[in-house]
Every structure is written in C-alpha cells, then in structure tokens.
Amino acid sequence: MVSVVSAASSSAMTPRHIGAFYSYIGQDQGQCYLRFRKDPKLEEFYLEAAVAAVKELLDHESLTVRDLAVVLPPQIPGPFIGRLAERLGLPPNRMPNLARDGKDYFTCSLAHGWREWQAHGRLKSGDLGLFISVGTG
C-alpha cells in the first residue's frame, strides 16, 4: 500500500487567471470542430498554482518534499515537469515524465504516471506519495 496525501487548493488562482484557457466547438461548412485558446502564460499559471498547493499541503501535514517517495505530476508536454520538479526542489527523476514524447495526456495523466511507476518497480509498500493535477475546470 502506498499512502497518498491529497488536498485541493484554489487559493493560488486569482481573477487574472480567468480566461487563460478557452475551448469551444463550432461548425463550418458542415464540418464540426473543437478549438482551444490558451494564454501563453497558462503553464506558468499552472506552475504557480501547483507549487502553492503543494507547499500548503506539506505545511499542513508537517511534511517536506524529502518525505515523498513518489510524486506524480500532470503529464504536460515540454519542460513543464522539469520546471515543476525544480520549483519543488525535487530531482527530475522523482517524477515520471511520459510527456517527453510530445503527447498531452490531459485527464489521463495521473493514471498513466501511476502505471509507469508501477511498471518500473518505483513503488514500494509504505511509500508516501503525492498526486499533482492542474487544470482549467
């Protein structure tokens, strides 16, 4: 059994974040489409919110990042996971990074990250872990 501490925090999100991401559907000449509009700073907003929520949780639970054997971040392509690890003071190898293949795992991030850690024997009984998720909803 791996122990998992969790918390939700919206305290890091402010009105300046409203409108940072839009998705909508439409139709043009009989063809349906799905469009996304992202603020160029969206990943920075995610980083700020994730780091604030993790720090709040760790403080509340009297833990440090060194107490966490497993940290499962959202699988966002690009440098996001490395930047998150750096801001949390974790070596990047403590977070699975499936998104290096360029895929965005969206709402399946945590499940894929968990499977990756299990497949490589990175989880042991009694480990303390943390799931981190960010999103617009």
Side-chain angles (χ1 to χ4, degrees):
M1 173 60 85
V2 175
S3 300
V4 179
V5 291
S6 65
S9 175
S10 60
S11 60
M13 300 306 281
T14 65
R16 74 184 174 103
H17 299 109
I18 294 173
F21 183 86
Y22 281 100
S23 64
Y24 57 94
I25 59 171
Q27 190 176 52
D28 185 27
Q29 298 177 12
Q31 296 292 317
C32 294
Y33 60 86
L34 175 62
R35 295 273 161 73
F36 302 98
R37 190 185 75 182
K38 294 195 304 187
D39 186 303
K41 297 179 198 156
L42 184 62
E43 279 191 21
E44 183 61 33
F45 296 156
Y46 285 166
L47 286 166
E48 290 171 7
V51 169
V54 169
K55 288 183 180 199
E56 181 182 321
L57 170 69
L58 294 176
D59 287 347
H60 183 265
E61 298 293 330
S62 299
L63 297 169
T64 70
V65 291
R66 289 183 295 281
D67 296 316
L68 303 171
V70 179
V71 178
L72 297 170
Q75 298 297 310
I76 297 173
F80 181 84
I81 294 171
R83 292 174 64 203
L84 180 59
E86 181 180 326
R87 289 190 189 190
L88 292 174
L90 287 169
N93 67 348
R94 295 267 305 278
M95 294 183 173
N97 187 353
L98 306 173
R100 63 183 166 266
D101 62 8
K103 293 180 185 172
D104 191 330
Y105 288 81
F106 297 104
T107 58
C108 298
S109 280
L110 297 177
H112 283 280
W114 182 262
R115 187 182 68 201
E116 177 78 5
W117 280 83
Q118 282 183 316
H120 291 94
R122 299 291 302 260
L123 301 173
K124 319 185 289 280
S125 180
D127 281 349
L128 183 63
L130 177 67
F131 293 96
I132 301 172
S133 185
V134 296
T136 59

